[in-house]
Amino acid sequence: MLYQAPWWLPGGNLQTIYAALRSKRYLAEAPSFSRERWTTPDDDFVDVDFARHASADDAPLLVVFHGLEGSSASHYAEAFADVARVRGWACAVPHFRGCSGEINRAPRAYHSGDFEEIDWILRRFRRQHAGPLFAVGISLGGNALMRWAGEMESAAGEVVAAVASVCSPLDLVASGHAIGRGFNRLVYTRMFLSSMVPKALKKLEQHPGLFNADALLAARDLYAFDNIFTAPLHGFQNTDDYWSRASAKPHLRRIAVAALAVNALNDPFIPPASLPQAADVSAAVTLWQPPEGGHVGFPSAPFPGHVRAMPEAVCGFFAAQVEAAQNQHHG
């Protein structure tokens, strides 16, 4: 991916924060979505938002898995939906449990390695859509998606034509500790906990005794939050067990479907030394590691900055996979 940051946005933090708060996400009108509620195998629900723009029945469907505390209103979700519209593709944003504006019912939420959830969601899309299926995961969603692709190995190709992760913490241990330090702790950690803690407390109201409320309220970083809430609710012993077992990086060599991993080298959350290199991935995985872009930023000039550069690059990768498959078939 060839990416050049605007001169007026130097550094990973500015590229991250500007993209989330100030950037332009679409060319004409804002994407609008219609919502479907899907019942999960454990009798809970997830809400899936479908972009309302027109597409042919056999056009590709782009599935966007959001990041930590994200939704279809996130800047990257709107940008991907608009890029899909221009290409004539359908687009859907499934919400991880508790992220659609309504608390889910089960005594669980969502986590970075939730590949079982990814699996049933993608298989349902596969059953109901005639055209090729592309899946992109942003940050946490991308780690879970790559974890799924590694678990499925060659079977992933029966469900999707290609997958991509964008700014994903593929080594959760390295990224988890990085977000708990310095500026990251002051700004990003505080922002995430401001929505995660109230949602966890609502979960405790639903299911009394699920965890210790005082311990949760004392949490000042994601490590502590995950130790009290995320890890035990999802079958992990503690944060260390969760972060190590949920990380996608050790599984990237098993991926057999076309996959793209995009990570900016100045991402404030993800230490560059923790990123996968060629030796860590299978031949099916393409690594794009541009020097700049921030965390799910990639704002592009001219002012005011758009955030379409990254979605357009990812969708270009997807389109090339279908084209290559068609040429191989006809050849």
Side-chain angles (χ1 to χ4, degrees):
M1 179 181 179
L2 296 172
Y3 171 73
Q4 180 89 43
W7 62 267
W8 44 270
L9 274 180
N13 286 309
L14 279 179
Q15 289 159 20
T16 301
I17 294 166
Y18 179 88
L21 299 182
R22 304 289 302 168
S23 63
K24 200 154 168 46
R25 302 144 184 219
Y26 38 84
L27 296 180
E29 294 177 3
S32 63
F33 296 92
S34 57
R35 178 162 291 184
E36 285 185 12
R37 177 157 289 184
W38 292 0
T39 302
T40 62
D42 60 343
D43 202 32
D44 199 358
F45 68 88
V46 298
D47 288 328
V48 182
D49 284 1
F50 289 86
R52 284 200 174 103
H53 62 254
S55 60
D57 289 346
D58 61 349
L61 168 62
L62 176 66
V63 179
V64 182
F65 289 102
H66 62 76
L68 186 65
E69 296 299 276
S71 72
S72 60
S74 297
H75 67 285
Y76 50 79
E78 292 195 332
F80 267 107
D82 198 52
V83 170
R85 176 189 64 80
V86 171
R87 286 181 171 269
W89 297 357
C91 180
V93 184
H95 291 85
F96 290 119
R97 301 192 199 195
C99 290
S100 63
E102 190 175 328
I103 202 79
N104 63 308
R105 294 189 291 262
R108 58 155 294 169
Y110 65 105
H111 66 88
S112 298
D114 208 352
F115 64 86
E116 293 98 339
E117 193 91 316
I118 297 276
D119 187 58
W120 84 261
I121 290 173
L122 286 177
R123 287 180 189 278
R124 177 154 174 175
F125 279 124
R126 177 69 285 156
R127 286 196 302 272
Q128 66 186 49
H129 186 75
L133 202 62
F134 301 131
V136 57
I138 312 299
S139 196
L140 172 149
N143 182 79
L145 178 62
M146 291 301 219
R147 187 79 177 72
W148 171 81
E151 285 290 328
M152 292 300 115
E153 298 185 1
S154 59
E158 298 162 15
V159 183
V160 294
V163 298
S165 64
V166 175
C167 298
S168 296
L170 301 168
D171 178 341
L172 288 166
V173 176
S175 299
H177 288 301
I179 202 169
R181 290 195 287 262
F183 182 84
N184 287 349
R185 184 187 179 102
L186 287 172
V187 176
Y188 305 118
T189 295
R190 191 173 287 178
M191 176 192 74
F192 286 132
L193 290 178
S194 71
S195 64
M196 292 164 71
V197 169
K199 287 202 301 195
L201 292 173
K202 281 186 185 170
K203 188 59 58 185
L204 188 61
E205 285 176 26
Q206 278 182 325
H207 301 278
L210 199 59
F211 58 86
N212 184 307
D214 292 337
L216 186 90
L217 288 166
R220 292 292 175 266
D221 56 24
L222 295 185
Y223 185 94
F225 180 91
D226 285 348
N227 227 13
I228 297 151
F229 183 81
T230 317
L233 261 65
H234 301 102
F236 300 99
Q237 291 173 10
N238 50 35
T239 298
D240 294 324
D241 181 47
Y242 162 39
W243 286 358
S244 62
R245 281 171 53 200
S247 291
K249 187 178 176 182
H251 303 272
L252 298 177
R253 285 196 194 90
R254 298 163 59 196
I255 293 178
V257 71
L260 172 67
V262 183
N263 288 95
L265 296 178
N266 70 347
D267 187 325
F269 303 175
I270 302 176
S274 73
L275 293 176
Q277 301 304 312
D280 300 314
V281 304
S282 73
V285 180
T286 300
L287 300 174
W288 285 354
Q289 295 174 357
E292 297 191 284
H295 187 74
V296 202
F298 302 100
S300 51
F303 190 89
H306 263 283
V307 282
R308 294 172 61 87
M310 179 271 295
E312 283 175 348
V314 170
C315 290
F317 172 84
F318 286 155
Q321 306 315 308
V322 168
E323 202 174 308
Q326 286 170 344
N327 290 341
Q328 199 174 11
H329 179 71
H330 294 311

